[in-house]
Amino acid sequence: MTRIVVLISGRGSNMRAIIEACQNGRLDAEVVAVISNNPDAAGLTFAREQNIKTAVLDHKSFSVRNDFDEQLQALISSFRPDLVAMAGFMRILSKALVNHFLGRMINIHPSLLPLYTGLNTHARVLAAGDTRHGASVHFVTAELDAGPVIAQSEVPVLQNDTEQSLAARVLDTEHELYIQALQHCVSGNARLVNAECYRGTINSNIDTGTSSAERAQNGQQR
Ligand code: GRF
């Protein structure tokens, strides 16, 4: 069984979707641990309720960034993961750590990469007047949010959208996107080969269930 370690910093809704998908068999894997850099991450509660091992490594107790990364690498490794899924993990990781898990570390980012790497993606999409937005699941490489994309979900940007409404519409697609992308990694259908994402039979634009009819109902597009 594929062993997944999930890294979180907060709410953990993607983590929860991954755990539930493992439990109901949609994802052929097991979440062997959830690690947070934030002791107060809400997601830890759900993981504990599911009897999943949790660990906290508080970055604030480290004065040297590299020391945190070294301990994090050791902690992740102690759970012998096949895959490491970052799900709202708000730390930039060292090259050494990323390279150690290269090809096994996956992240979800709320934008249509390569557009809008970094923070505040929803506000930046609105400010730019874009008509499309979405989320990307990608392999983690040393450059921030720049690793090869495994799959993406797309949503329309509506005329009366706020940062919150747009974030919610994107998040609605993220859970299904992450599960499907992870399943492709588990099956070997998606893998990192020569710094690119090899895709067997997957369509990189995963349908997360928002039909065009639903989109029309949601309101007028920009
Ligand atoms: C998601 O929007 C994800 O794309 C981003 O951080 C957010 C985490 O949300 N990386 P959650 O903690 O999974 O609910």
Side-chain angles (χ1 to χ4, degrees):
M1 184 77 88
T2 300
R3 300 168 64 83
I4 300 180
V5 167
V6 183
L7 306 186
I8 64 168
S9 296
R11 177 176 56 189
S13 70
N14 279 288
M15 171 215 72
R16 182 179 179 140
I18 294 167
I19 291 172
E20 287 176 345
C22 290
Q23 289 169 341
N24 66 29
R26 289 205 54 221
L27 183 51
D28 202 6
E30 182 190 0
V31 174
V32 291
V34 172
I35 299 174
S36 174
N37 65 309
N38 169 14
D40 301 321
L44 287 171
T45 308
F46 178 79
R48 288 182 187 127
E49 282 166 6
Q50 304 303 306
N51 293 321
I52 290 171
K53 284 183 190 154
T54 59
V56 173
L57 192 66
D58 190 347
H59 64 278
K60 291 200 192 109
S61 39
F62 291 81
S63 50
V64 180
R65 182 179 271 272
N66 245 7
D67 292 349
F68 170 78
D69 282 52
E70 276 177 17
Q71 283 214 24
L72 181 62
Q73 182 177 320
L75 181 61
I76 298 170
S77 298
S78 72
F79 294 106
R80 296 178 288 107
D82 300 298
L83 291 172
V84 181
M86 296 172 69
F89 188 68
M90 302 301 286
R91 300 298 299 165
I92 295 176
L93 299 171
S94 69
K95 276 193 181 150
L97 186 150
V98 167
N99 286 333
H100 182 80
F101 294 109
L102 196 65
R104 290 187 286 156
M105 190 174 246
I106 322 289
N107 182 41
I108 186 158
H109 181 75
S111 81
L112 293 171
L113 291 174
L115 299 174
Y116 304 108
T117 61
L119 296 173
N120 304 321
T121 58
H122 310 300
R124 287 156 65 205
V125 163
L126 288 173
D130 293 359
T131 57
R132 312 293 302 164
H133 187 29
S136 308
V137 175
H138 65 96
F139 286 107
V140 176
T141 56
E143 221 180 310
L144 179 70
D145 299 328
V149 168
I150 300 167
Q152 294 182 312
S153 59
E154 254 192 62
V155 301
V157 180
L158 307 181
Q159 240 160 24
N160 52 358
D161 260 333
T162 61
E163 202 180 327
Q164 287 71 27
S165 64
L166 186 55
R169 189 171 315 113
V170 172
L171 187 68
D172 239 15
T173 69
E174 286 188 26
H175 302 156
E176 181 61 23
L177 173 71
Y178 213 170
I179 291 163
Q180 291 195 29
L182 278 170
Q183 182 57 33
H184 285 300
C185 294
V186 168
S187 69
N189 225 353
R191 48 186 190 264
L192 192 66
V193 180
N194 297 331
E196 288 187 7
C197 177
Y198 161 86
R199 287 195 198 89
T201 55
I202 44 170
N203 176 348
S204 67
N205 247 328
I206 279 182
D207 181 3
T208 52
T210 320
S211 67
S212 51
E214 276 173 292
R215 288 203 288 268
Q217 267 184 355
N218 281 342
Q220 206 192 335
Q221 218 173 305
R222 272 181 191 235

